[in-house]
Amino acid sequence: MNSLRLVAGALLALVPASAQQIPVVEKHLPNGFKLLMVERHEEPRIAGGWVVKVGSANEQLGTTGIAHLFEHMMFKGTPTLGTRDAKRDLELIAEQERVRDLMRQEEASLRLAYRHGEISDLTSPGNLTPRYRELETEFRKLIDEQRALLVKNEFDRVYTTAGASGMNAFTSEDMTGYFINVPANKLELWCWMESERLLRPVFREFYAERDVVYEERRMRVESTPIGKFAEEFNAVFWDAHPYMWPVLGWPSDIPNISKKDADAFYALYYQPQNITIVLVGDFKPDDAEAMVQRYFGRIPAGTRPPPEVTTREPEQAAEKRMYAEAETNPQVDILWKTVAFQHRDSYPLDVLQLLLSGRTGRLYKGLVLGKEVATETYAQQDSRKWAGLFNIGGEAKDGKTPEDVEQGIYAELERLKNELVPAEELQKVKNQFAAFEYRKLSANFPIFMQILQNEGSGDWREVNEAGAKLAAVTAEDVQRVARRYFTPEARAVAIYTRKPGAAASEDPDLAGLSAEQRPVVRRIVESLAGEKDVARLKQALSQMEAQSANADPKRQQLQKIIQKKVAARIAELEKP
Amino acid sequence: MRSLFITITAAALLVSGSLSAAEIPDRPEKLTFPPLTYEPPRPVDFRVPLKSGPVAYVVPDRTLPLVTISILIRCGNYLDPADKTGLAEFTGYLLARGGTTSRTAEELEERLAFLAANLVSSIGDDSGSVSLNLLSKDLPEGLKILREVLTEPRFQQNKLDLFRQQSIQGMKQRNDDSTAIEAREREFLAYGTNFWACRYTTEASVTAITAGDLHAFHHRWIHPGSFVVAVSGDFERTAMIAQLEDLFGNWPFPGEKPPAIPTNIVMAPPGIYIVNKDVNQGRVGVLLPGVLRSNPDFPAIEVMNDILGGGGFTSRIMNRVRSDEGLAYGAGSRFPGGVYYPRPFQAGFASKSRTVTYATQIVLEEMGRITATPVSDEELTTAKRSSIDTFPENFNTKAKVASLFARDEFTGRFAEDPNYWQQWRPKIEAVSVADVQRVAKEHLHPDRAVILMVGQRAEIEQGDPTHPVSLGKLSSGPVVPLPLRDPLTMAPLP
């Protein structure tokens, strides 16, 4: 059976498997760093970076958000980059910490007052104790003194002046990645900068950066139409696993993170054996390895391995449902517990994702074109390092409900459970995976990012091995995983309906009209907005009034509303 | 400090056992680098005026078995009839998705999906595009499909109805996200609500669009006389040229040359324009009249803007608003040169409601400072080196080379200045401290700024007690409340 499948795969495959490999050179430094290199001479630049195998899943309650805050702090410099006086700078940081510890003590009394209902907002300036405000003034003085010594964003300036681009970083549940593109002749600068900040980072401007993270949170979560609901839904979905909290951290945890916490976090997770370095571009691997060894070799090996995440999500006992009123069109979002990165069932689930997705996928055909209950749909298997989930959802078509979309989704899943996927449909999906094997090779940076993310999830080799595993998936595999994972007990369902009143999407006058009549009125309102001739409007209104007595009863309501709109426009134009 | 460094290095040396570590300098300036020379590709090496009409840029690249064909089309939203706003967009979307004479939309999509080919079409403000990316072994079939799509689209009725439905539901979300509101109102303020690019689709305008309208738009504007083509990937040059001649030859209808793109923009008078929206972070845009990218000062303007707010963490606005004060996650400025009409200067950020006015004041201060005082040599060097040394990224894939040159052909830059890219770095290199201050003085007038704010108006007005800045003081102009708009008609809401 197995060999038969291989033969069939070879006949149908678009390309020989060997052509799809990314030629990665893997090396290990004595102090524990792993180094992955891909030599490419398409352009005179190098995409470089490193991934630390730590994310929000490694955090503890009380200091959630530390992995992300830490990522921000890694851009603040070193003893020689970022300040004019390294000695005084470190003294000032220590003094700031002393004041902050005292402020944290005051915060404890504020929290008690909050629990007793004496204050309702911990951050409002009016609620702060006199002692707290005194300390705050003292703290500000230290900040001002430090700022006078700062060389602002010098870490960034050195790179920018050297022709680097795209310096950034990201934090996810599973990993923290740092990256940049540098000119091919600046590999040594990259080694200097990155090894320096790993060897002796200085966490300057720690508390201003915390405020930046709050603004990031407002921007990504609190000020977006469904951000806060999505955060809540995620917390509903996971019972025990640390995936339950947001990567940005719980808002009340962020101010509790101290520099001491950051130092301990650094010592535990940012050690060489927990970090993989990735370079893709215009260099010779032998030269690059020697240079990386020379610079990164300075960093001491860690003393104890970082702990793994041992909490396993318990088997979910019952379906969960969340109902949210939001400023958005009605929609449904469903999550199922599935499997982690490189689990053998993750490949049939990836195939299942593509079977459902896109304009020729089953969801679009079934729900958008067929039943006409949705305007758009999506599906995704998310195989994370420690656990996985499958996500399906869609927006309800006007006149249909999120529950209609939900039932449509279940009907498509039932079909996958009951009937084997036809060979041609399966082949279509496999062809898309096969073509992706080439598309993924387009340029340095996308190649770099795939290696980095797969390594952060558990193993970079997946970039070269996934193709063959996906090609081997059978219709029976798809049916088996559909039956195994898409059960009511394994899912959580979020139903979104539009919050009434907010930013009036619908004119209340139109409520009593039929679906055909509503656009008529809207069109009239629209042309009225452009009409400035009051006399003409008045004439039209009197004509309508004269006719209204004779109107068809079915049209009387419509007629009345149009008259109201014309009258309103006249009133608006006559307003002094 | 020096001795501290030596101690650390010595300790590291013991750990790693690497003798060479001792040579590592304490500052990056002490490193020396091998020289790097780079010459950009030249458009003439790839430019092919086809007998069938279009100019094509043909860039072979045999590294992967993929081909990309992109066709730029001279048309855009400016061609929409007044009562059918959305016609260009609908035509663009449905061209590749609505079937052809010989295939239904469903057959076409199934076949493309089976071949794992990506075919997309769209029409935007001032150009349209159709592009196909597929495995080179499928090229003959792909070209056949492309010809059908371009010459005999079906614009299947049920696909039109579906897209209309999706568009109307999309409209309903127009007031949901403050980002969308800000983007829309910013355009209104920058160009005037009567400018063609500020016309929005409405339920009525898209309801009025018929399949007949789509066919008429297609027959009028989509023809080889209006095409510029970019092709890259796994093919042999002369064979590809012959295939392109077949693709564009013997067009079944003549088509028209489109009129010039209207340029009648009107910027709003200086003032604070504020849209009330209940979100806990206010979004701010600071606008001033902009320039065309053909302006001889444009290199100096780019360098100036890079120092002010365009250069990310090395720019002044980011340093003050984010790094110093922690008032925003992102803060910066853009000074995009317009191709057809001037596009405005804009600075912006998002900050919690109470600190919106304070952060706005900082941005205005920085705009004033760069006009009043010369920038430092160090800032100038950083901005120039950054532009010059990242230059090769413009050409880092063959697909990018083809599409960049095709875009220059399309906008007329190639005709005006065939050596544009060869001369780009020397022009940036020549910008002086005095140039930066001169163009800043000419274009940045904080007192005349048009300032847009979207957020909780009352909270924004109340401000931050630690840094009180009154809203009215930010501008010489008035504070003007802007209404939200009915998402389906775009009429102002009461």
Side-chain angles (χ1 to χ4, degrees):
Chain A
M1 176 63 208
N2 209 356
S3 66
L4 184 73
R5 197 166 69 202
L6 280 178
V7 173
L11 286 175
L12 289 166
L14 291 163
V15 286
S18 61
Q20 303 155 41
Q21 301 289 303
I22 300 176
V24 180
V25 178
E26 177 175 346
K27 297 287 177 185
H28 294 265
L29 271 55
N31 55 355
F33 284 109
K34 190 191 288 184
L35 169 62
L36 304 173
M37 295 173 285
V38 181
E39 184 181 357
R40 284 182 98 247
H41 301 288
E42 304 294 305
E43 52 167 330
R45 293 182 73 80
I46 299 167
W50 38 283
V51 61
V52 193
K53 291 157 197 172
V54 64
S56 60
N58 302 86
E59 295 167 348
Q60 309 292 319
L61 275 173
T63 50
T64 61
I66 191 171
H68 173 251
L69 181 62
F70 200 86
E71 172 221 314
H72 279 235
M73 293 316 298
M74 283 302 283
F75 292 86
K76 292 298 181 183
T78 70
T80 60
L81 279 186
T83 183
R84 275 179 274 274
D85 184 346
K87 184 162 166 285
R88 183 65 192 139
D89 184 63
L90 289 174
E91 285 168 12
L92 284 166
I93 291 173
E95 282 176 49
Q96 286 167 15
E97 269 317 287
R98 182 186 54 78
V99 178
R100 275 284 162 181
D101 280 339
L102 296 171
M103 287 167 83
R104 273 186 281 271
Q105 286 173 23
E106 286 301 301
E107 281 161 6
S109 70
L110 283 174
R111 280 193 293 271
L112 182 67
Y114 176 81
R115 292 199 298 277
H116 290 174
E118 290 153 16
I119 58 172
S120 61
D121 180 0
L122 288 165
T123 56
S124 165
N127 291 335
L128 301 175
T129 62
R131 173 73 180 136
Y132 190 93
R133 266 179 278 184
E134 215 176 278
L135 289 165
E136 207 173 29
T137 310
E138 193 182 336
F139 182 75
R140 265 176 201 286
K141 268 190 208 144
L142 293 167
I143 292 287
D144 287 343
E145 191 185 338
Q146 187 185 27
R147 198 175 283 171
L149 304 175
L150 284 184
V151 183
K152 291 297 295 186
N153 291 320
E154 192 178 17
F155 191 82
D156 192 289
R157 184 173 297 280
V158 169
Y159 262 140
T160 305
T161 310
S165 66
M167 179 165 87
N168 216 329
F170 69 90
T171 308
S172 72
E173 292 85 354
D174 296 329
M175 70 190 92
T176 313
Y178 298 82
F179 51 87
I180 193 163
N181 298 291
V182 295
N185 63 338
K186 301 278 170 64
L187 182 61
E188 186 167 10
L189 176 70
W190 181 86
C191 288
W192 191 96
M193 296 286 280
E194 302 302 323
S195 64
E196 281 286 310
R197 71 165 156 176
L198 272 168
L199 181 62
R200 38 193 173 163
V202 177
F203 302 146
R204 301 183 179 98
E205 302 178 291
F206 185 75
Y207 293 92
E209 202 60 29
R210 239 174 41 175
D211 291 341
V212 171
V213 170
Y214 268 114
E215 290 296 352
E216 185 177 0
R217 187 182 161 73
R218 285 185 194 97
M219 183 187 80
R220 294 191 200 280
V221 180
E222 295 168 7
S223 290
T224 59
I226 63 167
K228 45 191 175 286
F229 304 103
E231 188 174 275
E232 181 149 344
F233 187 45
N234 182 63
V236 165
F237 180 64
W238 299 102
D239 288 316
H241 201 278
Y243 284 158
M244 76 172 71
W245 55 74
V247 173
L248 286 172
W250 292 122
S252 66
D253 280 357
I254 296 169
N256 285 326
I257 299 170
S258 65
K259 205 190 145 285
K260 214 177 291 168
D261 295 324
D263 290 341
F265 182 86
Y266 174 77
L268 187 55
Y269 291 105
Y270 277 61
Q271 34 175 320
Q273 64 265 47
N274 205 37
I275 297 175
T276 298
I277 300 164
V278 185
L279 293 169
V280 178
D282 188 8
F283 57 81
K284 292 264 168 250
D286 285 348
D287 299 346
E289 186 195 352
M291 202 176 280
V292 168
Q293 167 60 39
R294 179 166 174 236
Y295 279 89
F296 288 79
R298 300 181 292 166
I299 298 161
T303 48
R304 64 179 171 123
E308 71 169 81
V309 175
T310 52
T311 302
R312 208 151 39 84
E313 183 69 3
E315 193 91 350
Q316 190 175 315
E319 181 189 27
K320 304 174 184 186
R321 298 186 75 84
M322 183 181 99
Y323 292 87
E325 281 191 344
E327 285 187 90
T328 186
N329 285 346
Q331 54 191 280
V332 64
D333 195 37
I334 314 173
L335 302 173
W336 287 265
K337 308 261 163 72
T338 56
V339 297
F341 180 75
Q342 284 185 323
H343 187 287
R344 51 197 288 276
D345 286 348
S346 66
Y347 309 100
L349 285 163
D350 283 342
V351 168
L352 201 147
Q353 168 188 328
L354 267 203
L355 286 167
L356 293 172
S357 304
R359 273 180 295 131
T360 66
R362 289 190 171 206
L363 291 174
Y364 202 83
K365 279 187 186 166
L367 278 66
V368 178
L369 303 175
K371 292 196 174 84
E372 298 194 34
V373 292
T375 53
E376 58 184 31
T377 55
Y378 53 85
Q380 195 195 11
Q381 161 64 19
D382 186 359
S383 310
R384 295 184 191 163
K385 181 172 184 173
W386 309 105
L389 65 157
F390 203 98
N391 179 207
I392 305 181
E395 181 191 90
K397 186 179 173 181
D398 277 351
K400 302 290 176 183
T401 63
E403 285 85 351
D404 294 334
V405 181
E406 184 188 1
Q407 291 310 316
I409 290 168
Y410 298 154
E412 288 303 329
L413 291 172
E414 283 310 303
R415 206 151 66 85
L416 284 165
K417 291 176 191 176
N418 297 331
E419 299 161 30
L420 285 176
V421 176
E424 167 139 348
E425 192 182 355
L426 187 60
Q427 191 57 45
K428 172 185 79 176
V429 164
K430 290 188 181 179
N431 288 350
Q432 288 166 11
F433 281 120
F436 174 73
E437 292 287 298
Y438 292 122
R439 292 192 170 115
K440 74 183 184 188
L441 295 169
S442 64
N444 289 347
F445 192 73
I447 295 173
F448 164 85
M449 206 40 122
Q450 289 170 72
I451 296 171
L452 192 86
Q453 290 187 327
N454 279 284
E455 177 69 4
S457 297
D459 187 357
W460 69 266
R461 286 181 188 80
E462 187 68 5
V463 296
N464 286 333
E465 290 170 2
K469 290 177 187 168
L470 290 163
V473 170
T474 65
E476 289 77 9
D477 291 333
V478 173
Q479 185 176 49
R480 180 177 56 77
V481 298
R483 289 175 174 168
R484 165 80 182 77
Y485 297 102
F486 294 96
T487 63
E489 296 75 30
R491 77 184 174 220
V493 183
I495 300 281
Y496 291 93
T497 49
R498 182 168 279 286
K499 188 175 168 186
S505 267
E506 196 69 271
D507 182 341
D509 286 346
L510 305 188
L513 298 181
S514 72
E516 291 74 38
Q517 289 173 331
R518 272 179 237 150
V520 176
V521 178
R522 288 199 198 99
R523 206 162 169 187
I524 289 169
V525 168
E526 201 179 318
S527 58
L528 281 173
E531 180 60 66
K532 295 198 172 82
D533 185 342
V534 177
R536 238 168 70 183
L537 286 169
K538 283 187 170 166
Q539 193 193 351
L541 184 62
S542 63
Q543 271 174 12
M544 279 187 275
E545 280 163 355
Q547 288 165 3
S548 69
N550 309 326
D552 174 345
K554 272 188 257 169
R555 287 181 55 90
Q556 264 181 7
Q557 179 67 11
L558 175 68
Q559 191 88 4
K560 247 203 260 169
I561 289 165
I562 295 171
Q563 286 170 23
K564 182 177 165 188
K565 297 291 175 196
V566 176
R569 178 65 184 154
I570 293 169
E572 191 183 19
L573 288 168
E574 286 181 337
K575 214 162 47 185
Chain B
M1 182 183 138
R2 187 72 213 162
S3 66
L4 178 76
F5 169 69
I6 289 166
T7 314
I8 290 170
T9 313
L13 200 70
L14 289 174
V15 174
S16 69
S18 160
L19 287 169
S20 55
E23 301 150 23
I24 292 172
D26 64 338
R27 288 280 308 179
E29 293 81 6
K30 296 177 186 169
L31 297 170
T32 53
F33 305 107
L36 177 71
T37 55
Y38 176 78
E39 277 311 311
R42 297 182 315 149
V44 289
D45 294 337
F46 306 104
R47 188 175 188 272
V48 181
L50 296 171
K51 293 186 192 71
S52 49
V55 168
Y57 285 84
V58 180
V59 187
D61 173 17
R62 311 309 288 255
T63 53
L64 294 171
L66 291 164
V67 175
T68 305
I69 303 176
S70 264
I71 301 161
L72 293 169
I73 308 166
R74 291 187 200 286
C75 63
N77 297 335
Y78 65 97
L79 297 170
D80 277 348
D83 57 344
K84 292 189 180 183
T85 301
L87 177 57
E89 181 199 340
F90 272 51
T91 308
Y93 182 86
L94 290 164
L95 189 66
R97 295 175 183 89
T100 65
T101 312
S102 71
R103 303 170 210 245
T104 64
E106 293 75 18
E107 287 164 355
L108 180 63
E109 291 194 325
E110 282 297 340
R111 187 59 193 159
L112 289 166
F114 192 82
L115 298 176
N118 297 330
L119 173 67
V120 287
S121 60
S122 67
I123 298 179
D125 275 353
D126 50 31
S127 67
S129 87
V130 177
S131 81
L132 175 65
N133 172 278
L134 81 179
L135 292 161
S136 43
K137 71 175 182 60
D138 300 323
L139 183 62
E141 185 175 353
L143 287 167
K144 193 160 168 285
I145 291 173
L146 195 54
R147 167 87 184 186
E148 279 183 34
V149 160
L150 288 166
T151 55
E152 35 186 323
R154 183 184 285 225
F155 296 121
Q156 207 168 293
Q157 185 66 43
N158 64 342
K159 298 289 165 186
L160 168 60
D161 293 339
L162 174 61
F163 187 55
R164 186 178 358 251
Q165 172 72 22
Q166 289 168 330
S167 300
I168 291 170
Q169 287 196 224
M171 290 176 204
K172 292 187 175 179
Q173 314 221 72
R174 277 175 170 160
N175 289 333
D176 293 345
D177 195 333
S178 57
T179 315
I181 298 168
E182 190 213 350
R184 189 169 67 224
E185 294 298 332
R186 195 172 53 214
E187 301 259 294
F188 288 157
L189 293 172
Y191 302 127
T193 46
N194 291 324
F195 187 55
W196 61 265
C198 295
R199 283 198 306 249
Y200 276 77
T201 54
T202 63
E203 185 180 37
S205 81
V206 302
T207 304
I209 295 170
T210 65
D213 294 328
L214 303 178
H215 282 291
F217 190 98
H218 164 255
H219 261 62
R220 210 167 158 195
W221 308 120
I222 300 182
H223 59 91
S226 280
F227 294 167
V228 174
V229 183
V231 199
S232 60
D234 181 27
F235 51 76
E236 194 270 314
R237 181 185 150 105
T238 48
M240 174 52 76
I241 292 170
Q243 284 170 312
L244 291 176
E245 295 288 15
D246 285 346
L247 176 61
F248 300 120
N250 300 314
W251 210 254
F253 51 89
E256 288 176 40
K257 187 175 168 5
I261 294 173
T263 61
N264 53 325
I265 58 173
V266 182
M267 191 178 258
I272 312 278
Y273 296 83
I274 182 159
V275 182
N276 194 29
K277 170 78 183 167
D278 188 19
V279 284
N280 68 4
Q281 189 178 53
R283 301 191 63 86
V284 176
V286 177
L287 305 174
L288 282 169
V291 295
L292 289 171
R293 72 175 186 190
S294 56
N295 187 312
D297 275 337
F298 197 59
I301 288 173
E302 281 196 302
V303 170
M304 184 277 290
N305 182 62
D306 200 79
I307 296 169
L308 175 66
F313 282 94
T314 56
S315 75
R316 292 176 170 190
I317 289 176
M318 184 72 114
N319 269 331
R320 284 203 58 205
V321 175
R322 173 172 163 150
S323 308
D324 280 356
E325 305 287 342
L327 295 173
Y329 178 70
S333 65
R334 283 159 42 80
F335 212 141
V339 178
Y340 304 102
Y341 48 89
R343 293 179 58 201
F345 163 85
Q346 46 176 290
F349 61 86
S351 186
K352 60 185 172 297
S353 309
R354 292 295 197 92
T355 47
V356 159
T357 54
Y358 177 47
T360 305
Q361 178 183 267
I362 292 175
V363 170
L364 294 171
E365 269 171 27
E366 287 303 330
M367 287 163 62
R369 188 160 74 94
I370 203 166
T371 64
T373 322
V375 298
S376 71
D377 287 335
E378 193 198 6
E379 285 175 307
L380 184 74
T381 305
T382 297
K384 282 160 68 167
R385 291 323 314 165
S386 171
S387 294
I388 291 166
D389 293 341
T390 56
F391 179 71
E393 290 190 338
N394 291 305
F395 311 94
N396 67 1
T397 66
K398 297 292 191 288
K400 239 165 148 177
V401 170
S403 86
L404 185 71
F405 291 158
R407 182 54 68 178
D408 282 355
E409 182 80 31
F410 187 82
T411 58
R413 181 146 73 186
F414 175 77
E416 281 162 29
D417 190 358
N419 295 317
Y420 175 81
W421 294 107
Q422 265 64 32
Q423 287 163 5
W424 189 85
R425 286 178 293 178
K427 279 183 183 164
I428 295 287
E429 194 69 83
V431 174
S432 68
V433 168
D435 290 332
V436 168
Q437 191 173 10
R438 179 174 56 77
V439 297
K441 268 188 174 148
E442 188 178 339
H443 298 285
L444 297 184
H445 304 280
D447 52 319
R448 288 186 227 159
V450 171
I451 302 171
L452 171 65
M453 297 178 173
V454 179
Q456 294 160 329
R457 180 172 177 178
E459 289 282 308
I460 290 172
E461 281 184 331
Q462 218 173 338
D464 178 10
T466 326
H467 305 282
V469 176
S470 105
L471 193 60
K473 291 251 169 66
L474 292 171
S475 170
S476 55
V479 177
V480 185
L482 292 178
L484 283 173
R485 287 165 186 273
D486 182 297
L488 295 177
T489 67
M490 293 303 282
L493 287 169

